[in-house]
Amino acid sequence: GMHVLTRATPRPVAMSSGCETPSHRVFVYGTLKRGFYNHRLLREMDAKFLGEALTREPKRMVLGEYGIPYLMRGEADGSAVVPGELWEVDDEGLDALDVLEGIDEGMYER
């Protein structure tokens, strides 16, 4: 039969620099920004604030139901560069944002 080697000790997890953790930059606007009601999600996932940011291209922002802002793809009348914040999240954080995005708002493009 085949020999299966088992490790007696679990593999050490590097906690230090976090280079091993893939990080994702997300641009947030609307309810995830500091001071808004969904921002606690970013705080809970230890997201790293990278700074204020603007969209590269002008976008048209429209308010959907419940006053939730959406960015429309492509340029249109009333397009403007949209201010927001740049945050760095890990895989888990990105998953959490995916869940939120499905429920709540079109918040970012990957």
Side-chain angles (χ1 to χ4, degrees):
M2 289 178 66
H3 289 284
V4 181
L5 291 175
T6 53
R7 292 170 77 101
T9 54
R11 196 169 298 153
V13 179
M15 296 301 282
S16 54
S17 58
C19 299
E20 296 78 14
T21 336
S23 63
H24 311 274
R25 289 180 166 202
V26 291
F27 173 78
V28 306
Y29 65 92
T31 61
L32 276 159
K33 290 196 300 192
R34 292 168 301 175
F36 289 85
Y37 64 89
N38 275 322
H39 179 68
R40 59 186 169 77
L41 277 168
L42 287 171
R43 278 208 308 271
E44 284 164 11
M45 64 178 73
D46 289 331
K48 200 161 93 194
F49 179 62
L50 299 177
E52 309 273 326
L54 295 168
T55 55
R56 198 169 289 152
E57 286 96 34
K59 301 272 183 202
R60 184 159 156 255
M61 190 185 274
V62 296
L63 284 182
E65 49 183 340
Y66 313 116
I68 292 168
Y70 290 89
L71 292 187
M72 310 304 284
R73 284 178 190 271
E75 293 211 25
D77 290 345
S79 291
V81 171
V82 178
E85 300 171 353
L86 204 58
W87 289 81
E88 197 174 83
V89 299
D90 56 16
D91 283 345
E92 249 172 82
L94 198 60
D95 289 345
L97 290 175
D98 276 343
V99 169
L100 172 78
E101 197 216 354
I103 304 169
D104 199 353
E105 59 184 301
M107 183 198 82
Y108 55 81
E109 289 181 35
R110 293 250 192 131

